């Protein structure tokens, strides 16, 4: 069942909506009869995506708009919010999805860390603060969908800036949902989308064909819509390699580091290799 916020004519704003998961979401929203605004970098990139979305929109291209936006810039987000209000009257569904993963090193350039945090974390905080008060005031059912990552939950070694950004996004989205459900009369709900391995420009790394392990962006969005329909806060997506049961064990093991007083990131500590393997394989 599709979530009741997806009623024809509702307005969805998708950041990072010109490619990957964001574009797939914008297309599905348009097919559901929503009016859609995509926000992304690069005029050409945006215009091509807007045309694709427009060709699927129930009432045609007039229901689609595109606004060049760098989500790390507060003034861009304010301009985006105002543009959507002017054209469509307000926003019902906000998908804070723009994200980057250029790679990072613990003692690497501060500018790289700052960019990752500015886009992946501040982009979501500022996006939420810019849009959500108006969404609440509109008094209609609505959604905020923030795209997180399993790397923000189990925080594997190798890309600390990305992990920090997505761990922060998870904490922010949990606090946001708590705030929204305790706001009298508020009909907006927040959700944390946690994709699995999805084949997009972010993960392609020179590959042309989709690896067998990966899901497509469209599969991810279909799963998201199904779980939104079930009102899940944590939309934990599997992929072709990792079923939910394995994610559950990995998440429980990570939380267990504190409870069991194990070393940080013990999943990747040689002394715990066997114990971790046994844990994920054990029958209940
Ligand atoms: P993608 O690279 O295909 O799409 C990301 C879009 O965000 C691009 O169109 C890009 O131009 C845009 N963008 C980047 N910086 C921006 C900025 N400052 N302002 C506005 N737009 C900006 O990547 P994908 O995979 O679709 O990623 C979407 C989200 O999903 C990201 O937040 C990513 O971290 C997350 N994610 C992706 C996974 C995957 O396996 N692909 C797994 C887990 C999370």
């Amino acid at each position: 069942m599709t979530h009741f916020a997806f009623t024809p004519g509702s307005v969805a704003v998708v950041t990072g909506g010109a490619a990957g998961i964001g574009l797939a979401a914008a297309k599905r929203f348009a097919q559901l009869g929503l009016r859609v605004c995509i926000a992304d970098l690069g005029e050409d990139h945006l215009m091509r995506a807007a045309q694709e979305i427009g060709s699927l929109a129930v009432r045609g291209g007039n229901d689609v708009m595109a606004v060049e936006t760098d989500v790390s810039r507060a003034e861009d987000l304010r301009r985006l919010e105002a543009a959507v209000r002017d054209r469509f009257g307000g926003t019902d569904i906000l998908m804070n999805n723009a994200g980057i993963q250029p790679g990072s090193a613990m003692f690497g350039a501060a500018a790289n860390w700052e960019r990752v945090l500015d886009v992946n974390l501040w982009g979501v905080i500022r996006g939420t603060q810019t849009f959500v008060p108006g969404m609440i005031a509109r008094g209609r059912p609505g959604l905020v969908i923030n795209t997180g990552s399993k790397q923000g939950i189990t925080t594997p070694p190798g890309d600390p800036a990305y992990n920090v950004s997505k761990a922060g996004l998870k904490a922010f989205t949990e606090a946001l949902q708590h705030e929204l459900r305790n706001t009298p009369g508020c009909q907006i709900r927040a959700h944390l989308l946690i994709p699995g391995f999805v084949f997009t420009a972010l993960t392609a790394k020179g590959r042309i064909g989709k690896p067998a392990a990966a899901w497509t962006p469209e599969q991810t969005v279909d799963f998201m819509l199904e779980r939104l329909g079930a009102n899940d806060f944590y939309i934990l997506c599997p992929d072709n390699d990792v079923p939910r049961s394995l994610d559950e064990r990995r998440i429980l093991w990570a939380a267990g580091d504190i409870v069991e007083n194990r070393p940080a990131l013990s999943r990747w500590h040689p002394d715990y290799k066997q114990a971790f393997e046994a844990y994920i394989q054990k029958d209940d």
Side-chain angles (χ1 to χ4, degrees):
M1 201 188 80
T2 310
H3 191 280
F4 55 86
F6 291 100
T7 43
S10 288
V11 178
V13 175
V14 183
T15 71
I21 297 168
L23 176 58
K27 285 180 176 173
R28 291 289 283 122
F29 296 167
Q31 286 172 321
L32 290 169
L34 272 66
R35 291 177 287 170
V36 178
C37 175
I38 53 169
D40 208 306
L41 302 170
E43 185 92 25
D44 292 350
H45 187 212
L46 265 170
M47 290 310 145
R48 272 196 306 274
Q51 267 181 357
E52 264 187 72
I53 301 163
S55 71
L56 298 169
V58 172
R59 282 176 306 275
N62 276 346
D63 274 359
V64 180
M65 64 186 282
V67 179
E68 204 171 0
T69 308
D70 180 342
V71 297
S72 71
R73 295 165 58 94
E75 60 274 30
D76 281 18
L77 288 164
R78 282 195 294 272
R79 204 170 31 82
L80 171 68
E81 195 276 336
V84 177
R85 202 163 9 91
D86 282 354
R87 169 98 175 255
F88 292 150
T91 300
D92 301 301
I93 293 164
L94 172 66
M95 186 165 174
N96 285 308
N97 166 81
I100 54 170
Q101 190 171 21
S104 63
M106 183 57 66
F107 302 109
N112 185 40
W113 275 78
E114 282 164 10
R115 184 71 192 152
V116 172
L117 290 169
D118 275 350
V119 175
N120 294 4
L121 180 56
W122 275 109
V124 173
I125 296 173
R126 290 204 184 100
T128 301
Q129 291 182 337
T130 306
F131 276 85
V132 175
M135 292 167 65
I136 297 171
R138 204 157 139 85
R140 291 161 49 105
L143 300 169
V144 181
I145 305 161
N146 291 340
T147 309
S149 168
K150 293 174 190 178
Q151 287 187 234
I153 301 171
T154 56
T155 61
D159 195 350
Y162 186 79
N163 291 357
V164 168
S165 72
K166 294 294 186 176
L169 184 155
K170 169 182 174 286
F172 176 77
T173 309
E174 289 166 339
L176 172 64
Q177 172 51 13
H178 178 82
E179 179 82 18
L180 294 174
R181 74 167 171 251
N182 287 294
T183 301
C186 174
Q187 296 203 65
I188 312 295
R189 300 284 176 271
H191 298 265
L192 181 66
L193 173 65
I194 312 162
F197 175 24
V198 186
F199 186 58
T200 65
L202 188 110
T203 54
K205 299 189 170 73
R207 281 176 294 220
I208 295 173
K210 184 184 83 59
W215 267 17
T216 62
E218 291 73 22
Q219 275 178 293
T220 306
V221 168
D222 284 344
F223 184 84
M224 176 184 91
L225 288 175
E226 180 195 313
R227 297 325 306 168
L228 284 172
N231 213 17
D232 292 0
F233 172 79
Y234 298 100
I235 303 176
L236 180 62
C237 306
D239 55 42
N240 292 335
D241 255 7
V242 181
R244 183 180 172 97
S245 55
L246 179 54
D247 272 328
E248 287 174 355
R249 289 286 165 93
R250 288 172 171 176
I251 292 166
L252 286 171
W253 180 274
D257 281 352
I258 302 170
V259 179
E260 306 287 337
N261 200 18
R262 294 190 294 248
L265 301 184
S266 71
R267 179 175 152 193
W268 295 275
H269 190 301
D271 292 356
Y272 289 82
K273 193 172 169 19
Q274 274 187 345
F276 173 69
E277 287 303 324
Y279 180 73
I280 57 170
Q281 269 151 32
K282 92 175 157 73
D283 296 328
D284 282 320

